């Protein structure tokens, strides 16, 4: 498995983008981005150019769309065109089911971006009756995303949903409309994929995002594993525990500076690593360039998810540079509890 940088929110002149698909993919290649999801507003006509552009640039192009409505914007990846025009504010699940049945996934785009009258429909207003239906959320949106106020609100909503027991993947999306040089820093979504992922790119990416094997980042990779005995768990995995088993894990955290995704030749400096959970902050430790790893024992107990973030300096600003999706913890029913609940015992 390896971590591949993707841009998951893009536009071309087939909707309101100012760069062609070829121009965008040339810039993506220059930045070190290996793949994009083409998510034009309410159309997939831009995919007619995808094969030729992919052959020329070697940037993988995934089919997608941004459903652009009065009640919110929803991203799709890996599905053919699915109609959205009959959806009202209370029946978004009907549209989500169409995408799922077609083999794709759905994500909420920039849920807290300013809405009417500045940008009608940009703020998410659909009624979500079951958050289990939502595959991912664009927690980081636009350039230098960790500095944008509406992203802080999205991060808080995502955290609240994790606390409530939902598994929703956090992603970054530039909402890429033109390829002019910027002073602001882009982020990517690193996706953990198998070695031969390009042979079935859309299917592999859809599966990895749905599993939570993603990492929004402005450059570095933040690699976190939980070790319990001979078992190792990484982001997107679920640690099963019960009252009769060992409930202590060793978190092993490494930071790897990307050699491919280095926007505009600028440098980042990581200075701190934080581990968060549904019980709050579990670790807050300084990091220096001489370090290779942090190892920290964690008592799981009532913990149901763990994620890490790296803080540091970017263009003379101290901010979050990268964060992981969670490693989840699931409490299994013990044999004693099952016997009490069902009035029986397990016969071996």
């Amino acid at each position: 498995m390896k971590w591949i940088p993707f841009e998951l929110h893009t536009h071309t002149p087939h909707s309101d983008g100012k760069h062609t698909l070829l121009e965008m993919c040339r810039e993506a290649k220059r930045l070190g981005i290996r793949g994009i999801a083409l998510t034009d507003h309410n159309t997939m006509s831009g995919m007619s150019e995808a094969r030729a552009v992919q052959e020329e640039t070697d940037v993988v192009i995934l089919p997608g769309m941004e459903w652009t409505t009065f009640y919110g914007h929803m991203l799709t990846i890996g599905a053919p065109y699915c109609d959205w025009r009959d959806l009202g504010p209370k029946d978004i699940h009907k549209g989500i089911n169409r995408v799922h049945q077609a083999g794709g996934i759905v994500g909420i785009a920039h849920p807290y971006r300013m809405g009417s009258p500045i940008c009608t429909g940009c703020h998410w207003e659909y009624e979500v009756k079951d958050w289990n239906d939502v595959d991912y959320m664009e927690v980081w949106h636009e350039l230098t995303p960790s500095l944008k106020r509406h992203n802080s609100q999205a991060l808080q909503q995502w955290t609240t949903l994790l606390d409530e027991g939902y598994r929703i993947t956090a992603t970054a999306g530039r909402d890429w409309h033109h390829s002019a040089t910027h002073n602001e820093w882009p982020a990517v979504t690193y996706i953990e994929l198998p070695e031969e992922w390009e042979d079935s790119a859309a299917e592999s990416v859809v599966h990895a995002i749905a599993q939570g094997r993603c990492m929004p980042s402005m450059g570095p990779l933040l690699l976190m594993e939980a070790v319990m005995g001979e078992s190792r768990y990484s982001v997107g995995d679920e640690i099963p525990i019960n009252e009769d088993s060992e409930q202590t894990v060793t978190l092993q955290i490494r930071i790897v500076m990307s050699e491919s995704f280095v926007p505009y030749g600028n440098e980042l400096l990581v200075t701190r690593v934080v581990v968060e959970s549904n019980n709050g902050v579990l670790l807050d430790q300084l990091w220096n360039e001489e370090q290779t790893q942090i190892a920290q024992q964690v008592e799981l107990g009532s913990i149901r998810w763990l994620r890490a973030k790296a803080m540091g300096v970017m263009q003379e600003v101290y901010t979050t540079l990268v964060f992981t999706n969670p490693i989840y913890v699931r409490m299994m029913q013990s044999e004693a509890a099952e016997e009490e609940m069902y009035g029986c015992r397990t016969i071996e």
Side-chain angles (χ1 to χ4, degrees):
M1 304 291 283
K2 53 185 178 180
W3 290 93
I4 308 297
F6 271 80
E7 172 52 60
L8 299 178
H9 189 166
T10 69
H11 298 280
T12 72
H14 286 262
S15 59
D16 63 344
K18 294 180 173 61
H19 51 199
T20 66
L21 183 59
L22 178 59
E23 290 168 338
M24 178 168 56
C25 287
R26 283 173 174 167
E27 176 66 4
K29 183 174 184 177
R30 188 183 75 81
L31 293 173
I33 297 171
R34 282 290 293 114
I36 68 163
L38 180 56
T39 56
D40 275 315
H41 297 284
N42 299 338
T43 181
M44 299 185 73
S45 58
M47 287 299 297
S48 62
E49 307 167 18
R51 177 177 292 182
V53 171
Q54 184 167 311
E55 288 177 354
E56 178 171 335
T57 63
D58 201 33
V59 173
V60 173
I61 303 167
L62 307 174
M65 189 165 70
E66 183 174 8
W67 290 16
T68 307
T69 79
F70 291 118
Y71 312 111
H73 294 189
M74 189 173 78
L75 298 164
T76 74
I77 298 176
Y81 181 90
C82 296
D83 205 354
W84 49 269
R85 291 170 294 178
D86 60 336
L87 303 178
K90 295 183 180 296
D91 53 9
I92 188 62
H93 291 277
K94 182 166 65 175
I96 292 174
N97 289 339
R98 288 174 188 162
V99 177
H100 285 165
Q101 289 171 7
I105 53 175
V106 300
I108 297 176
H110 44 69
Y112 284 92
R113 190 179 176 191
M114 189 175 295
S116 295
I118 304 301
C119 183
T120 300
C122 291
H123 186 94
W124 184 262
E125 296 178 5
Y126 280 106
E127 179 183 337
V128 178
K129 299 173 184 175
D130 185 357
W131 283 95
N132 290 306
D133 283 356
V134 177
D135 301 296
Y136 68 100
M137 180 183 293
E138 193 176 67
V139 172
W140 270 6
H141 172 246
E142 297 181 328
L143 297 168
T144 53
S146 63
L147 304 181
K148 303 294 171 62
R149 183 174 180 272
H150 67 286
N151 292 332
S152 298
Q153 294 171 291
L155 177 63
Q156 182 56 58
Q157 183 187 27
W158 176 54
T159 302
T160 298
L161 290 168
L162 294 178
D163 287 343
E164 293 173 355
Y166 296 103
R167 291 189 57 160
I168 298 173
T169 301
T171 64
R174 178 170 173 171
D175 207 349
W176 204 359
H177 284 78
H178 56 92
S179 296
T181 301
H182 297 273
N183 292 324
E184 292 186 278
W185 199 293
V188 293
T189 302
Y190 284 108
I191 303 176
E192 190 179 31
L193 296 169
E195 289 289 336
E196 304 300 324
W197 66 274
E198 292 175 83
D199 295 339
S200 55
E203 182 180 347
S204 296
V205 170
V206 163
H207 179 73
I209 294 175
Q211 292 295 309
R213 302 189 183 280
C214 297
M215 184 187 309
S217 175
M218 286 187 279
L221 280 166
L222 178 58
L223 306 178
M224 178 176 68
E225 283 191 320
V227 181
M228 179 186 287
E230 296 182 358
S231 300
R232 307 180 78 90
Y233 305 90
S234 59
V235 297
D237 287 338
E238 185 175 74
I239 306 173
I241 63 170
N242 61 52
E243 296 173 352
D244 302 326
S245 71
E246 177 68 42
Q247 297 187 23
T248 300
V249 297
T250 300
L251 286 184
Q252 296 181 348
I253 298 172
R254 295 186 297 123
I255 295 173
V256 179
M257 301 307 292
S258 173
E259 296 181 357
S260 57
F261 178 64
V262 186
Y264 312 122
N266 293 309
E267 293 185 358
L268 300 171
L269 178 63
V270 176
T271 61
R272 184 178 296 273
V273 172
V274 179
V275 175
E276 301 169 318
S277 74
N278 56 296
N279 287 344
V281 174
L282 303 179
L283 171 72
D284 188 344
Q285 184 170 319
L286 293 176
W287 178 273
N288 60 64
E289 293 180 329
E290 285 71 41
Q291 282 183 275
T292 58
Q293 181 174 288
I294 292 175
Q296 174 77 23
Q297 281 201 325
V298 173
E299 293 284 344
L300 296 179
S302 60
I303 289 174
R304 294 297 171 261
W305 59 265
L306 302 151
R307 72 182 183 214
K309 66 179 178 181
M311 312 285 292
V313 180
M314 172 195 69
Q315 296 179 325
E316 301 182 349
V317 176
Y318 180 73
T319 187
T320 300
L321 303 178
V322 54
F323 66 93
T324 72
N325 272 273
I327 297 173
Y328 296 92
V329 181
R330 179 163 61 96
M331 178 64 74
M332 308 288 287
Q333 199 75 39
S334 68
E335 290 185 10
E338 288 179 354
E339 182 177 344
E340 181 178 345
M341 180 180 297
Y342 299 111
C344 61
R345 62 189 179 90
T346 302
I347 305 296
E348 296 183 356

Short mmCIF file of all heavy atoms in Angstrom, two decimals, residues 90-122:
data_model
loop_
_atom_site.label_atom_id
_atom_site.label_comp_id
_atom_site.label_asym_id
_atom_site.label_seq_id
_atom_site.Cartn_x
_atom_site.Cartn_y
_atom_site.Cartn_z
N LYS A 90 -35.76 17.94 1.83
CA LYS A 90 -35.97 16.86 2.78
C LYS A 90 -35.74 15.46 2.19
O LYS A 90 -35.97 14.46 2.88
CB LYS A 90 -37.38 16.94 3.37
CG LYS A 90 -37.64 18.17 4.23
CD LYS A 90 -39.02 18.15 4.85
CE LYS A 90 -39.26 19.37 5.70
NZ LYS A 90 -38.35 19.42 6.88
N ASP A 91 -35.34 15.37 0.93
CA ASP A 91 -35.18 14.03 0.34
C ASP A 91 -33.84 13.84 -0.37
O ASP A 91 -33.77 13.22 -1.42
CB ASP A 91 -36.34 13.71 -0.60
CG ASP A 91 -36.57 14.77 -1.67
OD1 ASP A 91 -35.74 15.67 -1.80
OD2 ASP A 91 -37.59 14.68 -2.36
N ILE A 92 -32.77 14.36 0.24
CA ILE A 92 -31.44 14.16 -0.33
C ILE A 92 -31.07 12.68 -0.35
O ILE A 92 -30.31 12.23 -1.22
CB ILE A 92 -30.38 14.97 0.46
CG1 ILE A 92 -29.02 14.93 -0.26
CG2 ILE A 92 -30.25 14.47 1.88
CD1 ILE A 92 -29.00 15.53 -1.63
N HIS A 93 -31.64 11.89 0.56
CA HIS A 93 -31.28 10.46 0.61
C HIS A 93 -31.71 9.73 -0.66
O HIS A 93 -31.08 8.74 -1.05
CB HIS A 93 -31.90 9.81 1.85
CG HIS A 93 -31.28 10.28 3.12
ND1 HIS A 93 -30.11 9.75 3.63
CD2 HIS A 93 -31.65 11.26 3.98
CE1 HIS A 93 -29.80 10.38 4.75
NE2 HIS A 93 -30.72 11.29 4.99
N LYS A 94 -32.75 10.20 -1.31
CA LYS A 94 -33.15 9.60 -2.58
C LYS A 94 -32.05 9.76 -3.61
O LYS A 94 -31.74 8.82 -4.37
CB LYS A 94 -34.46 10.24 -3.07
CG LYS A 94 -35.00 9.64 -4.35
CD LYS A 94 -36.46 10.07 -4.60
CE LYS A 94 -36.57 11.57 -4.83
NZ LYS A 94 -37.95 11.97 -5.20
N GLY A 95 -31.43 10.92 -3.65
CA GLY A 95 -30.31 11.13 -4.58
C GLY A 95 -29.08 10.36 -4.18
O GLY A 95 -28.37 9.81 -5.03
N ILE A 96 -28.79 10.31 -2.88
CA ILE A 96 -27.63 9.55 -2.40
C ILE A 96 -27.76 8.08 -2.80
O ILE A 96 -26.79 7.45 -3.26
CB ILE A 96 -27.48 9.70 -0.88
CG1 ILE A 96 -27.09 11.14 -0.52
CG2 ILE A 96 -26.44 8.71 -0.33
CD1 ILE A 96 -27.07 11.42 0.97
N ASN A 97 -28.96 7.54 -2.65
CA ASN A 97 -29.17 6.13 -3.00
C ASN A 97 -28.91 5.87 -4.48
O ASN A 97 -28.38 4.82 -4.86
CB ASN A 97 -30.59 5.70 -2.64
CG ASN A 97 -30.79 5.60 -1.14
OD1 ASN A 97 -29.83 5.45 -0.38
ND2 ASN A 97 -32.03 5.69 -0.69
N ARG A 98 -29.26 6.83 -5.34
CA ARG A 98 -29.00 6.67 -6.77
C ARG A 98 -27.50 6.52 -7.03
O ARG A 98 -27.07 5.68 -7.84
CB ARG A 98 -29.54 7.88 -7.54
CG ARG A 98 -31.05 7.96 -7.63
CD ARG A 98 -31.45 9.26 -8.28
NE ARG A 98 -32.90 9.44 -8.21
CZ ARG A 98 -33.52 10.59 -8.37
NH1 ARG A 98 -32.81 11.69 -8.62
NH2 ARG A 98 -34.83 10.68 -8.29
N VAL A 99 -26.71 7.36 -6.37
CA VAL A 99 -25.26 7.31 -6.57
C VAL A 99 -24.69 6.00 -6.04
O VAL A 99 -23.87 5.35 -6.70
CB VAL A 99 -24.58 8.52 -5.89
CG1 VAL A 99 -23.06 8.43 -6.05
CG2 VAL A 99 -25.10 9.83 -6.49
N HIS A 100 -25.13 5.60 -4.86
CA HIS A 100 -24.64 4.35 -4.29
C HIS A 100 -25.01 3.16 -5.17
O HIS A 100 -24.19 2.25 -5.39
CB HIS A 100 -25.22 4.16 -2.89
CG HIS A 100 -24.58 5.03 -1.86
ND1 HIS A 100 -25.11 5.26 -0.61
CD2 HIS A 100 -23.42 5.75 -1.89
CE1 HIS A 100 -24.32 6.06 0.08
NE2 HIS A 100 -23.29 6.39 -0.68
N GLN A 101 -26.22 3.13 -5.67
CA GLN A 101 -26.64 2.02 -6.53
C GLN A 101 -25.85 1.98 -7.83
O GLN A 101 -25.70 0.91 -8.43
CB GLN A 101 -28.14 2.13 -6.81
CG GLN A 101 -29.01 1.82 -5.60
CD GLN A 101 -30.48 2.14 -5.82
OE1 GLN A 101 -30.90 2.47 -6.94
NE2 GLN A 101 -31.28 2.04 -4.77
N ALA A 102 -25.33 3.13 -8.26
CA ALA A 102 -24.51 3.18 -9.47
C ALA A 102 -23.05 2.91 -9.19
O ALA A 102 -22.22 2.98 -10.10
CB ALA A 102 -24.67 4.55 -10.14
N GLY A 103 -22.70 2.59 -7.93
CA GLY A 103 -21.33 2.24 -7.59
C GLY A 103 -20.45 3.38 -7.14
O GLY A 103 -19.24 3.22 -7.02
N GLY A 104 -21.04 4.57 -6.90
CA GLY A 104 -20.25 5.73 -6.50
C GLY A 104 -20.39 6.06 -5.02
O GLY A 104 -21.08 5.37 -4.27
N ILE A 105 -19.72 7.12 -4.61
CA ILE A 105 -19.80 7.63 -3.26
C ILE A 105 -20.17 9.10 -3.31
O ILE A 105 -20.04 9.76 -4.34
CB ILE A 105 -18.48 7.45 -2.48
CG1 ILE A 105 -17.30 8.05 -3.27
CG2 ILE A 105 -18.23 5.99 -2.16
CD1 ILE A 105 -15.99 8.01 -2.52
N VAL A 106 -20.66 9.63 -2.17
CA VAL A 106 -21.09 11.02 -2.11
C VAL A 106 -20.38 11.73 -0.96
O VAL A 106 -20.06 11.14 0.07
CB VAL A 106 -22.62 11.13 -1.91
CG1 VAL A 106 -23.35 10.47 -3.06
CG2 VAL A 106 -23.06 10.54 -0.58
N GLY A 107 -20.14 13.02 -1.16
CA GLY A 107 -19.52 13.84 -0.13
C GLY A 107 -20.14 15.22 -0.09
O GLY A 107 -20.52 15.77 -1.13
N ILE A 108 -20.25 15.78 1.09
CA ILE A 108 -20.79 17.13 1.24
C ILE A 108 -19.67 18.13 0.97
O ILE A 108 -18.62 18.10 1.61
CB ILE A 108 -21.37 17.35 2.65
CG1 ILE A 108 -22.54 16.40 2.87
CG2 ILE A 108 -21.80 18.79 2.84
CD1 ILE A 108 -23.12 16.46 4.27
N ALA A 109 -19.89 19.00 0.00
CA ALA A 109 -18.90 20.02 -0.34
C ALA A 109 -19.08 21.26 0.54
O ALA A 109 -20.22 21.67 0.81
CB ALA A 109 -19.04 20.42 -1.81
N HIS A 110 -17.97 21.80 1.01
CA HIS A 110 -17.93 23.07 1.78
C HIS A 110 -19.23 23.34 2.55
O HIS A 110 -19.95 24.30 2.26
CB HIS A 110 -17.61 24.24 0.85
CG HIS A 110 -18.35 24.28 -0.45
ND1 HIS A 110 -19.72 24.53 -0.55
CD2 HIS A 110 -17.93 24.11 -1.73
CE1 HIS A 110 -20.09 24.51 -1.80
NE2 HIS A 110 -19.01 24.25 -2.55
N PRO A 111 -19.56 22.52 3.56
CA PRO A 111 -20.87 22.62 4.21
C PRO A 111 -21.14 23.96 4.89
O PRO A 111 -22.31 24.34 5.05
CB PRO A 111 -20.85 21.48 5.23
CG PRO A 111 -19.41 21.15 5.43
CD PRO A 111 -18.75 21.42 4.13
N TYR A 112 -20.10 24.68 5.30
CA TYR A 112 -20.31 25.94 6.02
C TYR A 112 -19.86 27.16 5.22
O TYR A 112 -19.70 28.24 5.78
CB TYR A 112 -19.60 25.90 7.37
CG TYR A 112 -20.36 25.05 8.37
CD1 TYR A 112 -20.07 23.70 8.52
CD2 TYR A 112 -21.38 25.60 9.14
CE1 TYR A 112 -20.77 22.91 9.41
CE2 TYR A 112 -22.08 24.82 10.04
CZ TYR A 112 -21.78 23.48 10.17
OH TYR A 112 -22.49 22.71 11.06
N ARG A 113 -19.72 26.98 3.92
CA ARG A 113 -19.41 28.15 3.10
C ARG A 113 -20.60 29.11 3.12
O ARG A 113 -21.75 28.69 3.27
CB ARG A 113 -19.12 27.72 1.66
CG ARG A 113 -18.56 28.82 0.79
CD ARG A 113 -18.28 28.32 -0.61
NE ARG A 113 -17.82 29.40 -1.47
CZ ARG A 113 -17.69 29.30 -2.78
NH1 ARG A 113 -17.98 28.16 -3.39
NH2 ARG A 113 -17.26 30.32 -3.50
N MET A 114 -20.34 30.39 2.92
CA MET A 114 -21.40 31.39 2.98
C MET A 114 -22.47 31.11 1.92
O MET A 114 -22.16 30.82 0.77
CB MET A 114 -20.82 32.80 2.76
CG MET A 114 -21.82 33.92 3.02
SD MET A 114 -21.04 35.55 2.89
CE MET A 114 -19.88 35.49 4.25
N GLY A 115 -23.73 31.17 2.31
CA GLY A 115 -24.83 30.90 1.40
C GLY A 115 -25.47 32.16 0.87
O GLY A 115 -24.78 33.15 0.58
N SER A 116 -26.80 32.17 0.77
CA SER A 116 -27.53 33.32 0.22
C SER A 116 -27.32 34.56 1.10
O SER A 116 -27.21 34.45 2.32
CB SER A 116 -29.02 32.99 0.15
OG SER A 116 -29.25 31.93 -0.76
N PRO A 117 -27.29 35.74 0.48
CA PRO A 117 -27.40 36.00 -0.96
C PRO A 117 -26.05 36.01 -1.68
O PRO A 117 -26.00 36.26 -2.87
CB PRO A 117 -28.02 37.39 -0.98
CG PRO A 117 -27.40 38.08 0.20
CD PRO A 117 -27.28 37.01 1.26
N ILE A 118 -24.95 35.73 -0.97
CA ILE A 118 -23.63 35.79 -1.58
C ILE A 118 -23.42 34.62 -2.54
O ILE A 118 -22.96 34.78 -3.67
CB ILE A 118 -22.53 35.80 -0.51
CG1 ILE A 118 -22.74 36.97 0.47
CG2 ILE A 118 -21.15 35.90 -1.16
CD1 ILE A 118 -22.75 38.33 -0.18
N CYS A 119 -23.75 33.42 -2.07
CA CYS A 119 -23.56 32.21 -2.88
C CYS A 119 -24.72 31.26 -2.61
O CYS A 119 -24.62 30.36 -1.77
CB CYS A 119 -22.22 31.56 -2.56
SG CYS A 119 -21.84 30.11 -3.58
N THR A 120 -25.82 31.48 -3.29
CA THR A 120 -27.01 30.68 -3.05
C THR A 120 -26.73 29.19 -3.27
O THR A 120 -26.23 28.79 -4.31
CB THR A 120 -28.15 31.13 -3.98
OG1 THR A 120 -28.45 32.49 -3.72
CG2 THR A 120 -29.41 30.30 -3.75
N GLY A 121 -27.03 28.40 -2.25
CA GLY A 121 -26.83 26.96 -2.34
C GLY A 121 -25.48 26.48 -1.86
O GLY A 121 -25.28 25.27 -1.70
N CYS A 122 -24.53 27.38 -1.63
CA CYS A 122 -23.19 26.94 -1.22
C CYS A 122 -23.17 26.40 0.21
O CYS A 122 -22.33 25.57 0.55
CB CYS A 122 -22.19 28.08 -1.35
SG CYS A 122 -21.85 28.55 -3.07
#
